[in-house]
Amino acid sequence: MKLLVTFSRKKGREPIIAKVVLETGVLINVERAYIDAMEGEVLIDVPDEDYMRIRDRMTELGAIVSLLEHAIRRDEHECIDCGACVGVCPQEVFSFDEDWKITMRDERCVICGKCLPACPHDALSLVQ
Amino acid sequence: MEKSLDLINTRIRDGDARVVTAEEMPAIVAELGEEGALKEVDVVTTGTFGAMCSSGAFLNFGHADPPIRMEHLWLNDVEAYGGIASVDAYIGATQQSETRGEDYGGAHVLEDFVAGNSVELRANSRGTDCYPGRSITTELVLADLNQAIMVNPRNSYQRYDAAANTTDRTLNTYMGTLLPGCGNVTFSGAGVLSPLANDPAFQVIGSGTPIFLGGAQGMVIGEGTQHSPKTGFGTLMVTGDLKEMRQDFLRAATMTGYGVTLYIGVGVPIPVINLDVVRSTAVRDEDITTSIIDYGVPSRDRPVLRKVTYAELRSGTIELNGMEVRTSSLSSFRKAREVAADLKHWVEEGRMEMVLPVRKIDAAKSARPMRVTTHTPLVREIMDYEIVTITEDDEITTAAKKLLRGATNHLTVLDREGRLTGIVTTYDVTKAVGGREGIRYVKEIMTRHVITTYPLEPVDVAARKLKRHNISALPVVDPEGKVAGMLTAIDLGKLIGRRETK
């Protein structure tokens, strides 16, 4: 499952992710990272069964950890099931079902935001 | 072997016409054979639901007191054309709001009207003896209008080119978001359900053909603008009453970076009167081919990357340059099915009878490009042929001297073979002198990723490159790869001077 980890640089430059990987032995996949002078925001993917452990340890180390679920919202009234989102998503979140309706596997979403401007009907938004 | 239209209409009136959608037809023909299908099927319904920019509506507002002859008018800040009588106007789908830009436009006005929302009309006039009113502002709903007649000059393309992008940046086009390096392919059109793909010879679709338009019963006026059936791109001009339309089948949209467009559902019922119609309605996605065009080339004649069928496009992935590329549809196949299904019910319930064209549509025509009588300025006409060059191993002090002596702000960095390797600007040199110490050579400060132009590139296209990359000059590279000159923002000024002196 995906976790959004935010940490402040004020608390020093401790390598939180590397530390947690070494301590727990859990392999963490970094899917997106945004780091500037004062703070950092990293989106990581961890195995479901290790979620609690990772969250608790990172929190102890001073990070704010939030579980990312249903990151993207689709307004079913606005959506006309065209499929403009299908090809632009790097994570293959969107696909057609057998009735040519859009289905979403939003657990794959890494909130890159590419689909938002690609939707002609302004039907997609980020939940945050 | 033929079947008369009278027989088909009698069956429709009696409620026992056999109506199928164009998606069902290929299997029926495969099962019953062509003659069997002709006997069995009376009407084939088609449908499409996609972006149709060339759409709009004629509106009549009735007269105010004192009456006004509206010269300029806006609906929710979207300008409508008022050069027709005093209270008539045409609102075009792609016209953008003067206050909200590409987020709102003519298509949104149409959707707001259909949804029952109130729309602000603002108009002005110079005032005449018979029409003394000089300005008016009022809130209107669709029911307040005498007429709201949709007239779409070009709808329902037979098929449409698919799009990809070979450049290294994302393009925002009317074909949607095109990812760099052919990262995706976008396409439009309902393939097997497309009205004109089911009658490419215009045997039964022509002026007067009853249709489904935006949820209302409409009519084909005749050939659409840019109608080009000879090249496989036939179009229709259609009309229908906006007051009878439904929001389900009429949706405003914005293609980011391109602008506003209207998604509308169009469906045409095809009476099965002979074997030719049976054959043309048996068309499948596999039989309809189109081209994938490179939208990275900013020219009318964009290169074809490959031919492709709608079956391949709709499969979700296609192969392009040895890579598997995902496809994105811009039109909705689910909604196209709904259009064809609704139309099927109308015919089954006897609410729509078949009519043969009152006037045939030319099936052999092809559209021509614009004849341009004024000259399109090219880079070579305004570029600076005098360039000052330097090599990357030269010292920065040499660069400074060359800039001064050459009275220029840009130095072209060339390698021993005279090939372009970078560019150095006055700003780069200043920064090196005023910034951190120890920088000595041109190679430490030059820009290596250089955006270039070429002598025969239209100036408009080169100017867009300057703007997009926020840079002040483009080296002009000739077909042999040699630097022939430099195009700077100052050179663009020459063009303005030239326009003014004409």
Side-chain angles (χ1 to χ4, degrees):
Chain A
M1 46 190 33
K2 297 200 193 313
L3 303 177
L4 194 64
V5 185
T6 27
F7 45 88
S8 165
R9 277 286 175 88
K10 282 181 205 149
K11 292 178 182 151
R13 302 175 61 96
E14 211 171 356
I16 293 179
I17 295 177
K19 207 167 177 174
V20 173
V21 172
L22 282 175
E23 279 181 22
T24 59
V26 174
L27 296 179
I28 292 175
N29 199 9
V30 176
E31 300 204 317
R32 196 168 60 95
Y34 171 79
I35 294 161
D36 71 8
M38 294 315 291
E39 60 173 18
E41 190 183 83
V42 179
L43 183 71
I44 58 170
D45 194 26
V46 298
D48 288 4
E49 62 272 19
D50 297 316
Y51 155 61
M52 302 285 258
R53 214 145 55 99
I54 299 292
R55 183 196 60 187
D56 294 349
R57 186 65 190 124
M58 285 190 169
T59 311
E60 276 169 35
L61 290 169
I64 303 162
V65 182
S66 52
L67 180 65
L68 199 74
E69 277 180 313
H70 312 299
I72 196 104
R73 202 178 73 86
R74 184 171 65 103
D75 182 333
E76 297 217 356
H77 174 72
E78 288 298 333
C79 178
I80 54 122
D81 300 293
C82 65
C85 49
V86 173
V88 296
C89 173
Q91 294 291 107
E92 305 194 11
V93 166
F94 307 97
S95 58
F96 285 114
D97 69 10
E98 65 274 22
D99 295 322
W100 295 94
K101 273 181 85 82
I102 293 287
T103 54
M104 278 170 44
R105 295 165 74 176
D106 54 1
E107 71 279 5
R108 293 179 165 200
C109 176
V110 295
I111 35 180
C112 72
K114 280 201 172 70
C115 56
L116 269 61
C119 174
H121 296 268
D122 205 13
L124 297 171
S125 53
L126 292 177
V127 181
Q128 250 172 7
Chain B
M1 203 174 145
E2 300 224 332
K3 183 154 73 183
S4 81
L5 197 72
D6 280 344
L7 176 65
I8 293 172
N9 279 333
T10 308
R11 286 182 181 171
I12 292 174
R13 277 193 291 272
D14 295 345
D16 49 38
R18 175 78 198 276
V19 189
V20 304
T21 70
E23 207 181 349
E24 299 165 324
M25 190 62 172
I28 294 171
V29 178
E31 192 198 323
L32 304 178
E34 289 174 353
E35 297 202 353
L38 175 60
K39 245 182 248 160
E40 170 72 17
V41 179
D42 297 307
V43 178
V44 175
T45 62
T46 61
T48 182
F49 186 89
M52 307 208 193
C53 289
S54 184
S55 298
F58 285 102
L59 310 174
N60 177 280
F61 303 107
H63 285 289
D65 191 27
I68 178 170
R69 176 177 172 275
M70 302 191 301
E71 284 163 19
H72 297 286
L73 69 146
W74 295 263
L75 292 157
N76 284 352
D77 290 339
V78 179
E79 187 165 21
Y81 180 69
I84 31 175
S86 53
V87 289
D88 283 338
Y90 184 80
I91 176 92
T94 61
Q95 186 73 31
Q96 280 176 207
S97 156
E98 289 178 5
T99 48
R100 294 167 64 187
E102 71 176 26
D103 290 340
Y104 192 92
H108 296 84
V109 172
L110 294 170
E111 185 181 341
D112 268 332
F113 269 137
V114 168
N117 298 332
S118 163
V119 171
E120 184 200 68
L121 165 69
R122 187 160 53 81
N124 58 41
S125 167
R126 67 183 195 278
T128 67
D129 286 345
C130 44
Y131 290 106
R134 295 189 53 175
S135 72
I136 195 149
T137 302
T138 179
E139 291 282 332
L140 298 169
V141 293
L142 190 56
D144 295 324
L145 274 54
N146 287 317
Q147 280 81 25
I149 302 167
M150 177 166 273
V151 176
N152 301 341
R154 178 171 68 256
N155 276 181
S156 192
Y157 258 109
Q158 191 169 340
R159 60 193 168 99
Y160 209 80
D161 285 332
N165 165 22
T166 59
T167 72
D168 56 6
R169 68 178 189 101
T170 298
L171 295 179
N172 295 307
T173 71
Y174 64 84
M175 289 302 286
T177 306
L178 299 176
L179 301 175
C182 291
N184 66 338
V185 166
T186 64
F187 69 99
S188 191
V192 61
L193 278 172
S194 159
L196 293 185
N198 280 276
D199 185 20
F202 294 87
Q203 301 175 75
V204 290
I205 301 178
S207 298
T209 301
I211 60 167
F212 175 109
L213 182 64
Q217 291 204 9
M219 193 177 76
V220 173
I221 296 172
E223 70 177 41
T225 55
Q226 238 160 279
H227 175 62
S228 195
K230 194 177 171 187
T231 56
F233 292 88
T235 71
L236 295 175
M237 189 180 289
V238 298
T239 184
D241 190 344
L242 196 69
K243 291 188 175 203
E244 294 168 9
M245 292 185 190
R246 284 179 283 150
Q247 205 182 357
D248 272 353
F249 295 107
L250 184 151
R251 288 297 182 84
T254 297
M255 294 294 181
T256 302
Y258 162 75
V260 175
T261 186
L262 182 71
Y263 273 62
I264 190 153
V266 181
V268 181
I270 297 176
V272 185
I273 54 169
N274 58 36
L275 288 173
D276 287 335
V277 174
V278 171
R279 282 176 208 121
S280 68
T281 52
V283 74
R284 301 163 306 160
D285 279 334
E286 291 84 334
D287 308 320
I288 308 171
T289 56
T290 188
S291 307
I292 302 176
I293 302 287
D294 181 9
Y295 274 65
V297 178
S299 154
R300 182 183 59 213
D301 304 312
R302 297 187 170 106
V304 174
L305 297 172
R306 62 161 280 195
K307 293 273 180 193
V308 67
T309 68
Y310 271 85
E312 293 174 280
L313 288 169
R314 284 185 46 213
S315 74
T317 52
I318 58 148
E319 204 199 284
L320 192 59
N321 301 330
M323 278 187 339
E324 194 163 272
V325 179
R326 286 200 295 149
T327 58
S328 273
S329 165
L330 298 172
S331 52
S332 170
F333 194 72
R334 179 179 71 79
K335 300 289 285 184
R337 269 185 176 167
E338 270 184 43
V339 171
D342 271 24
L343 193 51
K344 179 176 162 172
H345 291 138
W346 289 358
V347 182
E348 281 172 345
E349 289 162 9
R351 287 158 63 195
M352 182 181 266
E353 289 187 19
M354 299 300 103
V355 177
L356 285 180
V358 203
R359 194 170 69 192
K360 283 267 197 184
I361 289 177
D362 187 346
K365 217 170 180 172
S366 60
R368 287 186 302 267
M370 183 191 282
R371 185 168 80 100
V372 180
T373 56
T374 49
H375 173 71
T376 308
L378 303 176
V379 165
R380 68 173 179 198
E381 295 161 39
I382 59 164
M383 67 191 242
D384 197 345
Y385 285 87
E386 300 288 319
I387 48 163
V388 186
T389 66
I390 197 162
T391 69
E392 53 180 73
D393 293 323
D394 279 321
E395 293 195 15
I396 290 168
T397 46
T398 315
K401 281 178 197 145
K402 286 197 171 202
L403 284 166
L404 270 176
R405 216 178 317 130
T408 173
N409 287 316
H410 306 89
L411 295 179
T412 309
V413 187
L414 300 180
D415 64 10
R416 284 200 184 80
E417 281 78 45
R419 282 183 310 242
L420 178 71
T421 58
I423 191 164
V424 172
T425 67
T426 318
Y427 178 66
D428 297 330
V429 172
T430 315
K431 211 167 55 174
V433 173
R436 89 186 142 88
E437 281 177 31
I439 301 177
R440 212 174 135 192
Y441 296 105
V442 165
K443 63 183 165 205
E444 295 169 70
I445 60 165
M446 65 193 250
T447 300
R448 288 173 195 275
H449 181 71
V450 188
I451 314 293
T452 63
T453 178
Y454 55 93
L456 293 178
E457 187 160 56
V459 172
D460 286 352
V461 179
R464 241 189 108 67
K465 286 184 183 170
L466 289 173
K467 190 178 162 212
R468 187 185 337 119
H469 297 282
N470 191 25
I471 50 177
S472 53
L474 298 169
V476 185
V477 180
D478 69 16
E480 284 78 48
K482 291 259 186 284
V483 181
M486 186 77 83
L487 181 79
T488 67
I490 296 167
D491 297 323
L492 295 177
K494 292 178 198 165
L495 204 61
I496 297 166
R498 209 165 73 180
R499 274 175 192 158
E500 278 174 356
T501 52
K502 262 189 187 165

